[in-house]
Amino acid sequence: FMNKTIGWVVLVLAVVGIIWWASSKPVVAPVDENGSTISMKVGVVLPLTGNFGLLGERMKGGFELAKEDILKTGKMGSIDLVFEDACQPKEATSAAQKLINIDKVDLLGGSFCVIGFVPMVPIFEQAKLVTFTTASGPDSVLNKKYIVSTQASIKEKATEIANYAYTKLGARTAA
């Protein structure tokens, strides 16, 4: 229970943080030098159906709340959130291509399922699309130029768990 609570707190703070970061460019008014409204389109890949649908719906709600908060500051004219329901690799990569090529998002603001996130990384890196994820990932997808994660690597987490099992539980085998 405690780990889930901490995870949700980190998730909400991360969502608010990434949207704040994206909107914190020095802006005097919500229009640019040409008088056009300053806007941002944020793509979000998350599971809205299936086993993780409830978590995806909660994440969606967090993005919508963050959007409202940012718009209240007057620094952005509009924020368009584009949600894609995907978790598995095939659906996630299709969602990534759609967000980049059809929806023309400025930022990818979330990804929950590591199994779908890993194959999206090269797509986002090639498109030079700043991407934020809440999923733990293998070292190969962390610390990329355009990828930001709030989580430690899977290798780091596995090491922590193994050390705990060995030192606190006295475990000597994994079987």
Side-chain angles (χ1 to χ4, degrees), residues 1 18 33 39 44 61 69 73 84 90 107 122 143 170:
F1 175 75
I18 195 69
E33 61 276 355
S39 63
V44 185
D69 286 347
T73 69
E84 288 294 326
K90 183 177 178 182
L107 170 78
N143 300 317

Side-chain angles (χ1 to χ4, degrees), residues 2-40:
M2 184 66 150
N3 284 340
K4 282 186 178 182
T5 302
I6 291 170
W8 280 113
V9 169
V10 169
L11 172 64
V12 169
L13 290 175
V15 167
V16 170
I18 195 69
I19 294 178
W20 171 82
W21 168 80
S23 67
S24 65
K25 299 173 186 167
V27 177
V28 176
V31 294
D32 64 17
E33 61 276 355
N34 299 321
S36 300
T37 300
I38 296 174
S39 63
M40 175 176 282

Side-chain angles (χ1 to χ4, degrees), residues 136-137 139 152-168 171:
S136 292
D139 290 344
S153 74
I154 292 172
K155 181 179 176 182
E156 288 174 15
K157 291 290 185 185
T159 300
E160 288 175 19
I161 291 168
N163 286 336
Y164 178 82
Y166 186 83
T167 59
K168 301 289 185 188

